[in-house]
């Protein structure tokens, strides 16, 4: 999470990029026991999008 140096200060582009990179590096663990319906739907949609992307990559590669 980005920390502000002083109240009311807007983070510059470098600070935002550093915060974004550190957020991307975090491992997120999916727990089926703690998942609600929205979590399960998001996972399903993500998997479907991955399948479409892979299919498009293979279809374009064969041409």
């Amino acid at each position: 999470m980005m920390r502000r140096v002083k109240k009311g200060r807007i983070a510059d582009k470098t600070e935002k990029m550093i915060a974004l990179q550190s957020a991307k590096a975090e491992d997120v663990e999916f727990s089926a026991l703690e998942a609600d319906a929205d979590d399960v739907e998001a996972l399903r949609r993500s998997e479907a999008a991955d399948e479409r992307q892979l299919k498009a990559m293979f279809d374009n590669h064969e041409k």
Side-chain angles (χ1 to χ4, degrees):
M1 181 171 280
M2 218 172 4
R3 293 188 183 127
R4 292 187 178 184
V5 176
K6 64 180 183 178
K7 189 174 183 176
R9 182 177 175 282
I10 298 173
D12 63 20
K13 185 176 180 179
T14 303
E15 291 168 330
K16 290 178 184 177
M17 291 301 294
I18 291 170
L20 180 62
Q21 288 172 353
S22 66
K24 286 183 179 180
E26 294 176 9
D27 287 334
V28 177
E29 191 172 312
F30 181 80
S31 171
L33 296 175
E34 295 179 14
D36 63 10
D38 290 338
D39 294 332
V40 174
E41 175 64 13
L43 181 61
R44 188 195 66 74
R45 292 172 60 104
S46 173
E47 290 172 348
D50 289 345
E51 288 176 21
R52 288 191 303 272
Q53 185 176 18
L54 283 173
K55 182 181 182 320
M57 287 170 50
F58 284 121
D59 289 349
N60 290 333
H61 182 64
E62 292 176 0
K63 292 180 181 178

